[in-house]
Amino acid sequence: MGVRSYRDLIAWQKGMDLVEGVYRATRDWPREELHGLTSQIRRAAVSIPANVAEGHARSGAREYLHHLSIAYGSLREVETHLLIAERLRYVDAALSQVLLGQAAEVARILLGLMRSLRASAPP
């Protein structure tokens, strides 16, 4: 059937699932973190599917790869924020592991998509 829209991309779909999980997990974090860690992790999570979508809309593989690279960096940022939140006991270890598992899945998909684009892109 093929990819007609960025919404068809598994990387985008799984990224959206991660955003939802992050927003749910951060709902009850301390109010004083609203403009700190809560805002940071939410913005990083949103950046993942947003950059997948933006990259897909670009005209060339090089630009697409650039946006996927940004998405991947944001993903690693989300993981780091989750680990900080776990250390501060804002999120319990079980929920953190679920979200980190989702992040690992998104990472595998993004890396595979980047590998595929690099292989098909002209030098």
Side-chain angles (χ1 to χ4, degrees):
M1 183 143 165
V3 174
R4 288 177 277 146
S5 165
Y6 63 88
R7 292 182 201 153
D8 296 330
L9 296 167
I10 302 299
W12 182 85
Q13 294 168 7
K14 297 292 185 176
M16 291 292 286
D17 292 344
L18 182 59
V19 170
E20 186 178 350
V22 164
Y23 267 77
R24 289 181 194 280
T26 58
R27 252 190 238 154
D28 297 325
W29 285 12
R31 184 139 173 79
E32 66 266 16
E33 288 293 348
L34 189 58
H35 300 292
L37 192 57
T38 304
S39 175
Q40 288 291 317
I41 193 171
R42 286 178 172 185
R43 289 184 318 137
V46 167
S47 175
I48 299 162
N51 273 289
V52 170
E54 185 174 353
H56 185 264
R58 296 297 177 146
S59 59
R62 188 171 181 204
E63 286 182 276
Y64 195 179
L65 279 165
H66 173 73
H67 283 84
L68 291 176
S69 175
I70 293 169
Y72 187 76
S74 294
L75 178 67
R76 294 308 188 196
E77 186 178 348
V78 167
E79 290 173 338
T80 300
H81 293 321
L82 275 170
L83 294 169
I84 292 167
E86 188 177 338
R87 283 182 175 208
L88 296 173
R89 293 188 170 81
Y90 294 166
V91 64
D92 66 48
L95 179 54
S96 179
Q97 289 308 305
V98 168
L99 292 171
L100 289 169
Q102 284 183 284
E105 182 180 17
V106 174
R108 283 190 300 276
I109 295 165
L110 283 174
L111 289 172
L113 183 53
M114 287 189 281
R115 214 173 10 261
S116 174
L117 280 170
R118 283 187 194 108
S120 67

